[in-house]
């Protein structure tokens, strides 16, 4: 090994030791260098050591109800369990906290879950039906605004009862074709930790279903005020779950530390088997710096490497201790237009902006061909996806004709399009936001702004720190933004992102898309159990979104990854998250850290 590489690695080993020592995790750390042959291992999985994986940003929080970003979801699913879990390989729902799949009434309105009697939280307290009832009362509390994105999936829950400690009966106001998925997927929280005063005992599901009744019962708002406190999102004493890992520490901008649950309950599922003694998320806001950290072994795994870095900076023949990987995830990238802004009210303007997005060129330049163009909001590998939608291919002539029809022209000869809106002349000028550290989005923004300027449109590129970016979106204080959504690989329900009700109160319909027919189709889809009929509903819905153009749809990317070869059993799946970190392990002769 070249001396300069060895020196860098020695320096990094000292850094890793410092990280763990700071976390009060590592009692010893001895690392040795390995030949390429030593990375081969054919033995069984073993426990021990630490996996360091890259986080591009801090999570919003670790409470699964009040944190909606992908980082939070990846972490809190290691901490909290649900009644049912989706098998990453088969995609089938299987019982988890529940001992069996629920009994479902013929009218699809009553679900009876029977719980395992040996499930405990990490503090040793048994998880019972009371915790399940509490969890539903918490997520349905209308005053917990941060939970609105998740709450919409439980709008039609009419009642949750616990006739005994091991039985939960959930009654729906009306059928929902995905009820089994979402009732089963709610992460169960500990009542004894998060409701010490019994506030949720003082209100019913019926009361939180009615704004008038909720307003009359002070306990509803009192619990929401307590549950929404910042410390309940990030302090270990409040984030106690029954999952395979326990939250130990969060140092903002540095790391999030999870340690293996010392009191695990005996789950039958392979994906809950925890081999690493600790999993540490290392926060590095810049992907180039993150790749450097991978090379110097400060991190073991990076998800979502920019294509240019993947192609040019990862020579695994020289860096033999690293391995590349890639997979397609059910995610799409898009540009969202805030339809509340006067300049974006007219759909012809939004269509024109889509025609000015040279996405085929961007696919080749920005993402090096590692992407597939898409034209709608449904995962392209789902049968509901309408592949017949005509694409908004790059067409400046068509774009300028649409803008002219909508009244946009250069009236004063300054090279900028203008229009008369609400009685006053305004320039076609807006800000395009994205999160700092995401080079792909930054490159899209720069290229797009440059292209738009040729046609008299001024686009200001606005790079924001992640938490500021999220706050801007949820408060609707933006013009346009570059984002991405992950669609779970289950039958489609566009309600969260596209229903009019989700355009307010920090819902996920950030762009303010409101369409009466689309709402009707979304609502009918939710209560339709015939797959062929749902297909028709979703195809019509996609045509409406395509015509209204609230998003400029770009592509589904191939996710490019790399990891240290000391990690074994690395696999990727089409679920979210697409990897099962607890199942990864480090062979005995490659382990370096002892965790207490």
């Amino acid at each position: 090994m070249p001396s300069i590489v060895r020196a860098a690695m020695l320096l990094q080993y000292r850094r890793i030791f410092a990280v763990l020592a700071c976390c009060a995790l590592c009692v010893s750390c001895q690392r040795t260098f390995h030949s390429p042959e030593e990375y081969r291992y054919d033995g069984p999985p073993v426990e021990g050591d630490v996996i360091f994986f890259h986080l591009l940003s801090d999570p919003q929080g670790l409470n699964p109800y009040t944190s909606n970003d992908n980082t939070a979801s990846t972490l809190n699913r290691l901490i909290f369990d649900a009644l049912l879990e989706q098998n990453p390989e088969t995609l089938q729902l299987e019982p988890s906290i529940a001992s069996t799949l629920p009994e479902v009434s013929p009218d699809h309105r009553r679900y009876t879950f029977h719980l395992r009697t040996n499930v405990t939280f990490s503090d040793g307290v048994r998880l019972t039906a009371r915790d399940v009832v509490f969890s539903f009362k918490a997520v349905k509390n209308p005053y917990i605004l941060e939970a609105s994105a998740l709450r919409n999936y439980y709008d039609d829950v009419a009642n949750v009862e616990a006739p005994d400690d091991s039985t939960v009966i959930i009654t729906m106001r009306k059928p929902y074709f995905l009820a089994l998925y979402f009732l089963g997927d709610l992460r169960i929280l500990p009542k004894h930790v998060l409701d010490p005063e019994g506030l949720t005992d003082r209100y019913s599901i019926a009361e939180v279903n009615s704004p008038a009744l909720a307003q009359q019962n002070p306990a509803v708002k009192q619990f929401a005020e307590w549950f929404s406190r910042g410390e309940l999102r990030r302090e270990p004493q409040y984030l106690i779950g029954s999952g395979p890992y326990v939250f130990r520490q969060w140092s903002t901008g540095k790391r999030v530390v999870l340690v293996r649950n010392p009191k695990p309950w005996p789950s039958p599922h392979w994906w809950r088997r925890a081999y690493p003694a600790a999993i540490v998320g290392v926060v590095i806001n810049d992907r180039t710096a993150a790749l450097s950290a991978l090379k110097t072994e400060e991190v073991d795994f990076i998800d979502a490497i920019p294509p240019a870095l993947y192609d040019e900076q990862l020579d695994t023949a020289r860096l033999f201790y690293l391995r590349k990987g890639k997979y397609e995830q059910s995610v799409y990238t898009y540009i969202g237009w805030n339809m509340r802004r006067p300049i974006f009210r007219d759909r012809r303007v939004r269509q024109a902006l889509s025609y000015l997005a040279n996405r085929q060129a961007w696919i080749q330049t920005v993402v090096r061909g590692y992407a597939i163009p898409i034209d709608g909001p449904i995962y392209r590998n789902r049968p509901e996806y309408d592949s017949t939608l005509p694409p908004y291919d790059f067409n400046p002539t068509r774009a300028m004709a649409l803008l002219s029809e909508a009244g946009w022209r250069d009236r004063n000869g300054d090279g900028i399009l203008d229009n008369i809106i609400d009685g006053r002349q305004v320039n076609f000028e807006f800000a395009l936001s994205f999160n700092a550290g995401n080079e792909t989005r930054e490159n899209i923004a720069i290229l797009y702004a440059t292209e738009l300027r040729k046609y008299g449109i001024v686009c200001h590129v606005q790079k924001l720190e992640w938490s500021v970016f999220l706050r801007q979106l949820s408060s609707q204080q933006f013009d346009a933004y570059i984002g991405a959504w992950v669609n779970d690989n289950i039958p489609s329900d566009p309600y969260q992102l596209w229903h009019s009700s989700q355009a307010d109160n920090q819902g996920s319909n950030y762009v303010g898309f409101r369409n009466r027919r689309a709402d009707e189709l979304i609502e009918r889809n939710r209560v339709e159990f015939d797959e062929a009929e749902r297909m028709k509903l979703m195809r019509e819905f996609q045509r409406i979104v395509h015509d209204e153009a609230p998003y400029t749809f770009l592509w589904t990317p191939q996710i490019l990854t790399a990891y240290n070869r000391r990690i074994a059993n690395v696999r990727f799946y089409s679920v979210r998250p697409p990897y099962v970190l607890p199942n990864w392990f480090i062979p005995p002769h490659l382990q370096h850290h002892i965790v207490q």
Side-chain angles (χ1 to χ4, degrees), residues 18-25 55 57-59 62 75 233-236 247-258 280-285:
V19 168
L20 287 174
C22 178
C23 294
L25 284 175
L55 300 178
S57 61
D58 286 287
L62 291 178
L75 292 167
R233 303 180 197 180
R234 60 174 300 144
E235 296 299 332
F247 171 45
R248 171 68 67 84
Q249 184 200 53
W250 178 1
S251 299
T252 302
K254 297 179 180 179
R255 68 193 68 85
V256 180
V257 180
L258 309 181
V280 178
V282 181
V283 180
I284 304 174
N285 297 128

Side-chain angles (χ1 to χ4, degrees), residues 337 342-357 392 394-411 415-421 426-430 448 451-459 549 552:
W337 309 107
I343 63 173
F344 299 135
R345 284 179 192 161
D346 193 319
R347 69 178 177 183
R348 292 171 295 185
V349 171
R350 303 189 298 270
Q351 291 173 347
L353 289 165
S354 291
Y355 279 121
L356 289 173
Y392 284 99
F394 184 59
N395 190 336
T397 301
R398 177 65 178 144
M400 297 310 293
L402 286 166
L403 290 173
S404 178
E405 289 176 19
W408 290 95
R409 61 180 184 272
D410 184 4
R411 290 171 171 80
I416 301 174
L417 298 179
D418 54 71
N419 203 352
I420 305 300
I421 300 178
V426 296
N427 286 339
F428 203 148
E429 186 171 356
F430 67 92
Y448 195 32
E451 191 68 43
L452 291 175
R453 192 64 185 86
K454 298 176 185 177
Y455 303 100
I457 300 171
V458 178
C459 172
T552 293

Side-chain angles (χ1 to χ4, degrees), residues 127 145 156 204-205 216 376 381 425 591:
L127 188 156
L145 298 182
D156 292 322
S204 66
I205 295 289
Q216 293 172 15
N381 288 329
Q425 183 171 315
Q591 293 192 8

Side-chain angles (χ1 to χ4, degrees), residues 4-24:
I4 188 169
V5 175
R6 177 181 290 271
M9 291 177 71
L10 283 169
L11 174 61
Q12 200 55 54
Y13 294 160
R14 288 195 290 271
R15 289 176 181 168
I16 291 174
F17 178 82
V19 168
L20 287 174
C22 178
C23 294

Side-chain angles (χ1 to χ4, degrees), residues 20 28 42 57 87-88 90 96 128 132 143 182 188 206 226 257 259 261 267 368 416 450 460 469 490-491 504 544:
L20 287 174
S28 69
D42 297 322
S57 61
N87 186 314
T90 68
S96 183
T128 72
V132 179
Y143 293 112
F182 290 106
I188 303 304
W226 153 257
V257 180
V259 297
N261 189 342
S267 170
R368 301 291 183 98
I416 301 174
T450 302
H460 300 287
F469 178 64
I490 60 176
D504 302 308
I544 292 172

